[in-house]
Amino acid sequence: MQERIAEIQRSLGEALQAAPSKEELLSLKQKLVGKKGELPALLGELKSLADEERKALGGKLQSLRKEIEQSIAHALSELERAAMDEKLQKSWDDPSRRGSLFARGLTDAGLHPITEILQELEEIFSRMGFEILDGPHIEDNHHNFEALNIPEDHPARDLQDTFWFEDNTHLLRTHTSCIQIRGMKDRQPPVRFIGPGQVFRCERTDQWHDFSFFQLEGLFIDRNVSVANLLYFAQTLFEEIFQSQVEIRTRPSYFPFVEPGLEIDMRRDGGKWVEMLGCGMIHPKVMEQIGVDPTEYSGFAFGLGVDRLLLMRHAIEDIRHLRSGDLRFVRQFSRYRSGGIPC
Ligand code: DAH
């Protein structure tokens, strides 16, 4: 019997080495530990053995069963993980990266650094359980302003110079905060989601300002959510993005859709404090707009400037490089490329 146990162990090892499919793993499991499998057969034979031997071999058989079950379960979950990785990878598939679409002579292609950092941010937030939502670039007065407690004639409107359409109702969204309103239309707390996307401001450009840039909105509503939760998420986010320890601090600020409103600054290695994001606890008026009872739930929201984050991470001196279309600029990000495509 000792020999047959060793034989089962050997064949299990070999079978697992051969990168079996899900079906093969399930039939291996059936063959070894299924009702009519090899192990139950051996267990049946124990009866005919002397006491001493039966005890020793019985223990061995039980631990062999455990080993078989665990290693097959592990192999199955690895397969599942690989399938999920592949699926996620595919959902990022960019057709322009496929060789067949490439003109002859182009040897490689990469993602724009903004796309790269957006993908990283989405991955970090997905891991923290956030959904990823989208919203239209062309918004209306209600979603961009009114529902966010920014009524007409409110001075806060001046802070966000707006590209209006001729109907004076539609506009190019000035921030991603509208996604808070849209996302909550078909959701109930507890919720957590992010809304990354492009925004537009009718502004003069300079080194730090462009007429269009990317923001990432975040919203988290649950029972007993406090500023402490907000600070935890902010710190985790920065440490992931910069892959180093960071310190954060808050400053009071004003945004009509949060109360209190805060600005979070960050620094690395005792260096200079840099302003990173606007945030705060969701204003009761906004809670009302999104149909959430503020006496039962609380939540935080934040808006992160994605371009700024990128400028900081790579010490880029002018935001306008990002949309310049200058290949000499984007090629510097080869470290972040997903690999060249042979023609
Ligand atoms: N929407 C603000 C802006 O564009 C950023 C912002 C601040 C978003 C505070 C938020 C927030 O969600 O809570 O300047």
Side-chain angles (χ1 to χ4, degrees):
M1 188 168 300
Q2 294 272 25
E3 251 166 48
R4 283 160 69 192
I5 292 178
E7 175 55 33
I8 291 179
Q9 262 166 335
R10 203 168 24 230
S11 67
L12 174 71
E14 270 168 21
L16 291 177
Q17 281 281 319
S21 67
K22 185 173 169 189
E23 290 69 33
E24 284 166 339
L25 282 170
L26 291 175
S27 77
L28 179 67
K29 188 172 168 189
Q30 192 64 25
K31 177 170 158 259
L32 296 178
V33 291
K35 260 198 190 133
K36 293 190 182 142
E38 294 177 20
L39 219 70
L42 286 180
L43 279 165
E45 288 175 28
L46 283 181
K47 282 190 218 113
S48 56
L49 298 178
D51 261 8
E52 282 283 293
E53 212 179 354
R54 191 170 65 222
K55 261 192 204 147
L57 287 172
K60 264 202 180 145
L61 284 175
Q62 289 306 349
S63 58
L64 178 59
R65 175 197 285 272
K66 221 185 210 167
E67 184 190 330
I68 294 170
E69 283 171 348
Q70 281 175 353
S71 52
I72 292 183
H74 178 73
L76 281 170
S77 77
E78 283 294 301
L79 275 183
E80 216 162 87
R81 200 173 56 95
M84 180 57 84
D85 278 353
E86 198 185 324
K87 202 165 144 197
L88 288 174
Q89 198 58 39
K90 276 208 185 113
S91 66
W92 280 114
D93 191 15
D94 172 356
S96 65
R97 284 162 50 200
R98 287 192 210 126
S100 58
L101 289 178
F102 265 73
R104 259 167 203 283
L106 287 184
T107 52
D108 62 9
L111 296 176
H112 191 279
I114 286 277
T115 311
E116 293 275 4
I117 201 166
L118 281 170
Q119 290 184 0
E120 275 177 62
L121 288 165
E122 291 183 9
E123 201 212 293
I124 293 168
F125 279 102
S126 301
R127 265 191 272 131
M128 296 196 281
F130 283 72
E131 272 183 90
I132 298 161
L133 305 186
D134 203 357
H137 289 177
I138 299 179
E139 263 298 359
D140 54 39
N141 198 11
H142 173 76
H143 291 92
N144 199 84
F145 292 125
E146 305 266 322
L148 288 160
N149 194 30
I150 319 177
E152 195 117 33
D153 303 327
H154 194 290
R157 286 207 187 186
D158 297 342
L159 297 175
Q160 302 193 351
D161 294 316
T162 310
F163 286 114
W164 286 96
F165 283 79
E166 277 174 358
D167 66 2
N168 276 330
T169 320
H170 289 90
L171 49 94
L172 291 179
R173 69 176 175 200
T174 58
H175 53 184
T176 43
S177 301
C178 354
I179 300 177
Q180 292 185 27
I181 308 297
R182 292 196 176 271
M184 286 308 291
K185 278 197 178 139
D186 45 11
R187 283 178 182 73
Q188 284 294 319
V191 282
R192 45 177 101 174
F193 60 71
I194 56 163
Q198 194 166 4
V199 301
F200 307 85
R201 303 266 173 100
C202 185
E203 275 184 346
R204 200 182 283 266
T205 70
D206 64 29
Q207 195 179 1
W208 295 109
H209 299 90
D210 208 345
F211 63 87
S212 174
F213 50 96
F214 281 80
Q215 286 188 335
L216 184 141
E217 195 75 15
L219 178 131
F220 186 117
I221 305 178
D222 206 335
R223 290 194 169 85
N224 304 317
V225 173
S226 73
V227 172
N229 301 103
L230 169 57
L231 297 181
Y232 167 78
F233 277 102
Q235 177 130 15
T236 309
L237 170 67
F238 300 145
E239 292 189 339
E240 291 263 357
I241 283 287
F242 290 96
Q243 290 290 306
S244 70
Q245 284 200 325
V246 306
E247 284 173 86
I248 57 172
R249 72 174 182 193
T250 58
R251 280 176 297 114
S253 186
Y254 174 72
F255 304 97
F257 32 92
V258 282
E259 180 58 38
L262 303 167
E263 205 86 56
I264 297 187
D265 300 340
M266 179 204 96
R267 71 171 175 181
R268 283 179 291 170
D269 306 324
K272 243 177 75 184
W273 287 104
V274 191
E275 178 185 321
M276 298 301 290
L277 52 80
C279 57
M281 301 305 291
I282 302 171
H283 197 287
K285 286 228 173 101
V286 176
M287 286 292 221
E288 205 176 293
Q289 285 289 335
I290 59 180
V292 176
D293 180 355
T295 59
E296 193 179 349
Y297 290 101
S298 53
F300 63 74
F302 60 85
L304 176 71
V306 176
D307 303 52
R308 288 263 169 95
L309 202 60
L310 194 68
L311 297 192
M312 268 188 68
R313 187 164 79 173
H314 300 286
I316 300 167
E317 78 290 357
D318 194 320
I319 192 173
R320 290 165 296 191
H321 287 315
L322 293 175
R323 264 159 291 276
S324 64
D326 189 335
L327 287 178
R328 288 170 308 174
F329 172 74
V330 279
R331 285 209 173 109
Q332 298 176 78
F333 293 86
S334 54
R335 184 153 81 86
Y336 290 89
R337 277 195 203 157
S338 7
I341 297 165
C343 283

